[in-house]
Amino acid sequence: YGPVKKSDLTGAVSVVKMKDLENVPVIRVDQMLQGRIAGAEIVSTTGEPGAATSIRIRGTRSISATNEPLFVVDGVLDAINSLNDINPSDIASIQVLKDASSTAIYGSRGSNGVIVITTKMGVSGKTNFIYHADVGMSQLPRYLDLMNAQEFANLQNDRFYFSSTANQSKPLEEYPYKNPIALGEGTNWTKEITHTAPYQNHTFSASGGDKASSFYFSPNYNNTNGIILNSGLERYQARFNYDRTLSKYVKAGLRINYAYLDQNVNKADIGSNVLWYRSTMMLAPTISAYKPNGDLNDFNTQWYTGTLFDSPLANVLLQQKKQERKTLSSNMFLEVTPIKGLKIRSAVSFYDYNRFDDTFYPSALPTRTSKNSGAYAAKASYKDNNILNENTINYNKAWGKNTF
């Protein structure tokens, strides 16, 4: 709502220096902030491209309500649906309000802290054109040291041996695995569903202006493949900022940001405790990924007496889960300065968000084939929009060392 001298500032505010991040190859704003704000915990919820980010400023404040901070972009509250909607290259400055002062300014919506983002503008002079590209690859830093098939078979044989005194006198032919050595390494399920994932990020910007106006225009394209097969995010984003001095007393401006995200949602589970019997870390290495005839294996021998299941490999290859998101954020303002020190400002912002979820389970999935249930398809859509009008009057006057 206005500038303040650092000497007059009593609240806890962190400022991220953008010059330190100009050459850092990040594609999301939260990646820029990690490790750079004291008292802030920034964690990706799942790690997959396009996943939401959990941000905690000075810890968790509520058990049942949200603990996420308020985002203010170019003066507009809740101007984005997620940090994926903003291109990091468009950001001029980031301030984080961390204490009660944020509540005093923004009310209860600022109780979890406020992240204030200001985007770039052009300066008077010649027009500047910049093209920036990032190309690289992502991969797991290492695989966990899990048991191979031989080690797992030995474990099961030992378990059989010590489970009953009677078992200790039985011949090897009656053990679960008669020849563990022959099993070798077996199946590493995590390796089966992961790969080296390429990514590319392209940004073009044009900025400039004259004595009466300034502008900034920047389109962005990003394509990030997930480390897990058939997952990733494709983003098209564009921003246009324009300021115009209409007269000595009147100034107007426009801010528009549009983001289109097409996410191929991850369909496998590596290590969480959700459906543990389908997790790649929990599946036995003695279970083959494929049958001898080349079809995907559909039988889990370690689930009690055995059961049909959709393996992680079958899920990533056959299932389809798509999420399409469209976000438009626009803001127009008119600023009048009738006398020196008095500023009257009126701003109108419009926010529109649309999300479309598509899910498809083909009949070729083993569990659906066994039940002869056919394919399954589902579509869902979500829509949210709002209009915000803010009118403020600021007056600032100095008398020597005194200010009002």
Side-chain angles (χ1 to χ4, degrees), residues 255-329:
R255 307 284 188 270
I256 298 177
N257 185 81
Y258 178 77
Y260 172 84
L261 290 84
D262 187 8
Q263 182 180 0
N264 194 355
V265 181
N266 174 38
K267 298 167 283 291
D269 182 16
I270 289 181
S272 74
N273 59 0
V274 179
L275 296 178
W276 64 266
Y277 61 91
R278 298 179 184 176
S279 169
T280 60
M281 284 180 55
M282 303 297 181
L283 279 179
T286 54
I287 304 174
S288 300
Y290 294 92
K291 296 179 179 179
N293 63 359
D295 293 339
L296 291 167
N297 197 357
D298 58 1
F299 196 74
N300 186 344
T301 57
Q302 300 304 309
W303 180 251
Y304 297 101
T305 58
T307 184
L308 284 170
F309 82 129
D310 296 329
S311 71
L313 185 60
N315 285 329
V316 299
L317 294 180
L318 300 179
Q319 284 188 23
Q320 295 182 29
K321 289 185 178 180
K322 299 282 188 177
Q323 189 175 100
E324 185 180 279
R325 286 169 280 179
K326 302 176 183 179
T327 306
L328 172 66
S329 177

Side-chain angles (χ1 to χ4, degrees), residues 12-317:
V13 179
S14 292
V15 179
V16 180
K17 296 180 180 179
M18 303 308 296
K19 288 185 178 180
D20 298 340
L21 304 173
E22 287 180 351
N23 297 318
V24 178
V26 296
I27 60 175
R28 290 166 43 128
V29 178
D30 57 297
Q31 295 172 339
M32 299 173 64
L33 301 178
Q34 286 178 333
R36 299 181 185 274
I37 303 174
E41 179 184 349
I42 303 172
V43 181
S44 177
T45 52
T46 65
E48 66 177 303
T53 302
S54 173
I55 300 179
R56 297 289 183 271
I57 297 176
R58 290 191 170 178
T60 299
R61 290 173 167 82
S62 175
I63 297 176
S64 57
T66 180
N67 288 283
E68 299 299 318
L70 173 67
F71 288 93
V72 179
V73 182
D74 290 332
V76 181
L77 281 65
D78 289 329
I80 56 175
N81 177 67
S82 75
L83 293 175
N84 287 306
D85 295 339
I86 300 181
N87 179 13
S89 299
D90 293 342
I91 297 176
S93 66
I94 298 177
Q95 290 86 33
V96 181
L97 313 182
K98 299 186 290 186
D99 64 359
S101 62
S102 60
T103 306
I105 299 172
Y106 295 101
S108 60
R109 299 177 70 184
S111 60
N112 296 321
V114 181
I115 297 179
V116 181
I117 299 174
T118 303
T119 57
K120 294 179 179 178
M121 280 298 302
V123 295
S124 60
K126 65 178 182 180
T127 301
N128 295 316
F129 298 96
I130 298 175
Y131 171 72
H132 183 83
D134 295 324
V135 179
M137 294 179 292
S138 301
Q139 62 183 16
L140 288 175
R142 66 184 180 90
Y143 292 98
L144 295 177
D145 185 17
L146 304 176
M147 289 185 292
N148 59 27
Q150 179 184 342
E151 293 167 338
F152 181 81
N154 286 329
L155 173 68
Q156 294 302 312
N157 285 346
D158 290 345
R159 181 184 177 187
F160 178 81
Y161 178 86
F162 288 107
S163 64
S164 172
T165 305
N167 291 344
Q168 299 176 10
S169 59
K170 292 182 179 179
L172 185 62
E173 287 74 14
E174 296 186 22
Y175 278 60
Y177 296 94
K178 302 175 181 60
N179 188 8
I181 297 178
L183 298 176
E185 289 294 319
T187 304
N188 186 321
W189 284 99
T190 303
K191 288 184 178 180
E192 290 290 337
I193 67 167
T194 58
H195 68 146
T196 299
Y199 74 86
Q200 56 179 318
N201 187 56
H202 304 272
T203 299
F204 171 80
S205 66
S207 62
D210 52 34
K211 293 181 179 180
S213 63
S214 62
F215 74 93
Y216 175 83
F217 172 68
S218 173
N220 167 256
Y221 171 75
N222 174 264
N223 191 344
T224 302
N225 288 320
I227 294 174
I228 295 179
L229 294 173
N230 291 335
S231 66
L233 176 71
E234 190 173 23
R235 179 182 70 191
Y236 298 86
Q237 182 267 344
R239 171 170 289 277
F240 178 67
N241 295 347
Y242 181 74
D243 283 352
R244 178 76 178 180
T245 301
L246 303 176
S247 70
K248 181 180 178 180
Y249 307 102
V250 182
K251 179 182 178 181
L254 174 67
R255 307 284 188 270
I256 298 177
N257 185 81
Y258 178 77
Y260 172 84
L261 290 84
D262 187 8
Q263 182 180 0
N264 194 355
V265 181
N266 174 38
K267 298 167 283 291
D269 182 16
I270 289 181
S272 74
N273 59 0
V274 179
L275 296 178
W276 64 266
Y277 61 91
R278 298 179 184 176
S279 169
T280 60
M281 284 180 55
M282 303 297 181
L283 279 179
T286 54
I287 304 174
S288 300
Y290 294 92
K291 296 179 179 179
N293 63 359
D295 293 339
L296 291 167
N297 197 357
D298 58 1
F299 196 74
N300 186 344
T301 57
Q302 300 304 309
W303 180 251
Y304 297 101
T305 58
T307 184
L308 284 170
F309 82 129
D310 296 329
S311 71
L313 185 60
N315 285 329
V316 299
L317 294 180

